[in-house]
Amino acid sequence: MKPILGIETSCDETASAVLDAHGQILAEVVFSQTKEHAAFGGVVPEIAARAHLKYLPELVRHSMAKAGVACADLGAVAATSGPGLIGGLIVGCQFGKGVAIANDLPFLAINHLEAHALSARLPGLSDHDVAFPYLLMLLSGGHSLCMAVTGLGHYQRLGGTIDDAVGEAFDKVAKLLGLPWPGGPALEALAAEGDPRAFAFPRPMLRRPGCDLSFSGLKTAVAQAIHQRDGIALGQQERADMAASFQQAVLETLADRASNACQMMRTRFPEATILVVAGGVAANRSVRAVLTRAAHRHGFELLAPPPRLCSDNAVMVAWAGLERARAGLIDDIGFKPVPRWPLETLRGATP
Ligand code: KG4
Ligand code: ZN
């Protein structure tokens, strides 16, 4: 197969990447719309869609030039087509279809969650062969999921959040602490200066059976601790202590849920030995460290893509496209982008 073009526009990252037929990265570009949304303290869907419209054509052109690949050299086009913010999805999906139609190429409508799920299989990321089945913890701004990945397009849900996603909790607590948006990385940096035992925040779901997650109670506990100060501005050390204590509660919860998920995986798929963590929150060094320890306790190896491939990017989209194209899972050019698209409903490869 010839090189593949990948396009990502499901949230607030506009991204384009070109991979060769073996999955080697020829070019990758990401434009984070941080400035566009910062004043609003979160992603504004309408602004995101317009920014994708403005930046995507130039980003695609730039990535193709960087890769030294012309449209005529491409073998396929893959674009994130759900789940996500519908305005951005329409921009990326329709742009990808346009390139596919103009050059008579197969089109792959990529599920954003599957792109995160498969990213650890990119060649050269680790010494391990990330073969199916493996355990996946997808920790992002919109999703927190524990899944058994049993094949391309084949997913079994083991657990997930019953309220806020873990990245959402990081973002909301960061906002409460007056940190700039996006909050996750800023909160991690502030937590490094604080005492994780300073505040006794709840550990949601700890020691409950299964691997469901919940973060809204923890977020409320942080909000109450701030409001109890009755308008007295928090000092820098107290803010750092709160950030560290919040992150510690998240870490203990994630470690506990990962332990249960490993046990569930071992029961259902005894041959599985790998836990993949993906999504923006997987860029957090402490999260990677606690999940590594939890995985080891259960005889699993933790694999996490490098931080730049944990947050939204087009390399993972192109890679998912390559995997699906190899399996013959080409999509109809009339595919309509969808804001909701659970992994369990994907069209999968024949085992
Ligand atoms: O996967 P992603 O880029 O976008 C979605 O698909 O949601 O994840 C973004 C989320 C945001 O909530 C962001 O604050 C969080 O990942 N995040 C982090 C870190 N880096 C990104 N959370 C905690 N620590 C980090 N270092
Ligand atoms: Zn994502």
Side-chain angles (χ1 to χ4, degrees):
M1 198 176 121
K2 299 200 289 191
I4 183 162
L5 170 67
I7 292 171
E8 162 61 40
T9 57
S10 67
C11 192
D12 59 332
E13 260 87 30
T14 316
S16 171
V18 183
L19 305 190
D20 75 10
H22 308 288
Q24 295 301 320
I25 302 169
L26 300 180
E28 54 176 308
V29 283
V30 181
F31 173 75
S32 294
Q33 303 172 3
T34 315
K35 276 207 193 107
E36 273 76 356
H37 305 285
F40 304 96
V43 181
V44 183
E46 171 82 18
I47 294 176
R50 287 174 188 272
H52 289 305
L53 206 53
K54 181 171 170 191
Y55 297 113
L56 184 64
E58 181 52 26
L59 275 180
V60 170
R61 201 197 59 75
H62 184 52
S63 65
M64 300 271 290
K66 237 171 130 177
V69 168
C71 280
D73 304 325
L74 286 173
V77 182
T80 299
S81 302
L85 301 174
I86 194 65
L89 290 170
I90 290 173
V91 173
C93 176
Q94 295 303 95
F95 188 97
K97 285 181 194 172
V99 177
I101 291 170
N103 299 283
D104 201 15
L105 297 170
F107 174 72
L108 299 122
I110 301 302
N111 178 297
H112 180 84
L113 307 177
E114 174 159 75
H116 277 302
L118 298 176
S119 58
R121 284 167 56 84
L122 258 167
L125 285 196
S126 86
D127 303 335
H128 295 270
D129 179 20
V130 188
F132 303 118
Y134 58 87
L135 175 61
L136 167 73
M137 282 184 90
L138 177 49
L139 306 174
S140 72
H143 296 86
S144 300
L145 287 169
C146 297
M147 305 289 279
V149 187
T150 61
L152 185 65
H154 294 284
Y155 298 86
Q156 279 182 29
R157 187 187 162 97
L158 302 177
T161 185
I162 56 169
D163 41 54
D164 291 356
V166 58
E168 193 181 347
F170 266 94
D171 291 338
K172 286 179 178 168
V173 168
K175 203 169 179 176
L176 289 168
L177 291 171
L179 293 170
W181 181 84
L187 196 142
E188 181 184 10
L190 183 61
E193 316 285 316
D195 175 4
R197 288 154 312 191
F199 292 86
F201 293 135
R203 271 71 173 141
M205 310 302 273
L206 210 65
R207 286 183 277 283
R208 296 243 193 115
C211 55
D212 278 340
L213 297 134
S214 162
F215 291 103
S216 102
L218 171 58
K219 174 201 66 193
T220 306
V222 179
Q224 278 168 350
I226 293 171
H227 291 144
Q228 269 164 15
R229 301 301 312 270
D230 233 4
I232 304 165
L234 293 175
Q236 177 63 11
Q237 189 55 49
E238 270 176 311
R239 290 169 67 239
D241 288 347
M242 268 193 199
S245 302
F246 161 78
Q247 186 172 268
Q248 185 60 29
V250 172
L251 295 175
E252 288 178 27
T253 302
L254 289 179
D256 179 81
R257 305 290 82 193
S259 286
N260 283 9
C262 286
Q263 282 167 354
M264 290 165 82
M265 190 71 187
R266 185 56 32 88
T267 309
R268 293 192 197 186
F269 303 97
E271 71 275 36
T273 56
I274 287 179
L275 163 59
V276 167
V277 60
V281 181
N284 182 300
R285 268 159 301 176
S286 307
V287 167
R288 292 161 93 101
V290 295
L291 292 183
T292 302
R293 287 198 291 275
H296 283 172
R297 274 199 299 276
H298 295 278
F300 279 74
E301 208 54 59
L302 184 95
L303 291 184
R308 76 175 204 289
L309 298 180
C310 285
S311 42
D312 289 349
N313 65 87
V315 169
M316 66 181 189
V317 178
W319 172 249
L322 201 55
E323 292 231 47
R324 294 185 79 82
R326 282 177 184 157
L329 294 169
I330 305 299
D331 290 291
D332 191 276
I333 201 73
F335 188 97
K336 291 186 188 64
V338 276
R340 273 187 49 76
W341 192 3
L343 279 173
E344 302 91 306
T345 64
L346 278 188
R347 191 160 62 102
T350 328

